[in-house]
Amino acid sequence: MALLFSLILAICTGPGLLDAQPSSHRFGGPLSRVRLVGGDHRCEGRVEVQRANEWGTVCDDGWDESDAAVVCRELGCGAVKKAISGTAFGPLTQEDQKIFVQEFRCNGLEESLSQCEREDFFDCSHKEDAGAVCGFPENVRLVDGPQRCQGRVEVKHQGQWGTVCKASWSFAATKVVCRQLGCGRALLTRKCCNKATQGQGPIWLRKASCSGKESSLEECPAGAWERSNCTHDDDMWVECEDPFELRLVGGDGRCAGRLQVLHKSQWGTVCDDGWGEAADRVVCRQLGCGPSLSPPAKSRRRFGPGTGRIWLDDVACSGKERSLEECPHRFWGRHNCNHAEDVAVVCAEQ
């Protein structure tokens, strides 16, 4: 009887369809990033994941707070408040945006979505997009800058956005803002602005004593925000590095090869001065690959030397960073290396 049932099923479904069922763990390539889109701040919205250089959505099959909690943790957005399904955070980033993942199966303890089991997309519509609301609302932003990680500092207090007076600001606070906004390291802070980029409305003053290691301004020991007697000539301007875009080239897949970073629309290599296993782990995590395999130097040399710019040197990671831009390093393009010292990384395939 079982044999007869299998034969009938094969005839009815036709050749190949049984083999087309979704596979676990893969959906055409590893995850590299996740973001929340369409909400009131960066810590709520529709879940989008990046594959190669393309962003796609996630179907809400099985989507629950365990899955959403991983998104909140990966984005540094605190505890999950709610797992959302449907069109609450429309419209789509692109009209023809793809759905990449049918279902995530997280236990809620993972550090990133790339560590959760998942199934390929096979049957879903954008009316079923997964979303999340995290408990870390946006209370600081950079505005009127040329890029999202540069601009005039504004904080939200009593439901109202206002600028910050230089009398209450420090470079340590700048480091915290860059980290809180998911940008790279702090580059500079200075008094703002020309007339075109001056703020309007209230100017907030608060004596804060940030160490520079806090995750958000709210963690800095400080008094209450209050209106100041400053003028908008005293508004603060902050510049952070943009998040790094990475790739591994010269290997057989996306998870092994010579490391390249993108800067000023140009790919360049990384010098191995100060590089170690901790930095390997950060790269593998950021690219959504499996654990670092940390092969010996001889094995890494098979990827060959790079050409063109050497962008980074003296990168010093602890291994706990979510992405490479959080690791201390020299300024872009400053190094004492040649391409024989290019970093190569080998991760397990996810």
Side-chain angles (χ1 to χ4, degrees), residues 46 48 55 57 91-99 126:
R46 178 180 62 256
E48 294 188 359
W55 289 95
T57 64
L92 296 174
T93 302
Q94 299 171 329
E95 289 185 7
D96 58 348
Q97 190 168 17
K98 296 176 182 177
I99 302 171
H126 285 298

Side-chain angles (χ1 to χ4, degrees), residues 56-73:
T57 64
V58 174
C59 185
D60 64 4
D61 285 8
W63 186 257
D64 59 20
E65 289 195 359
S66 294
D67 306 306
V70 178
V71 173
C72 295
R73 182 177 301 115

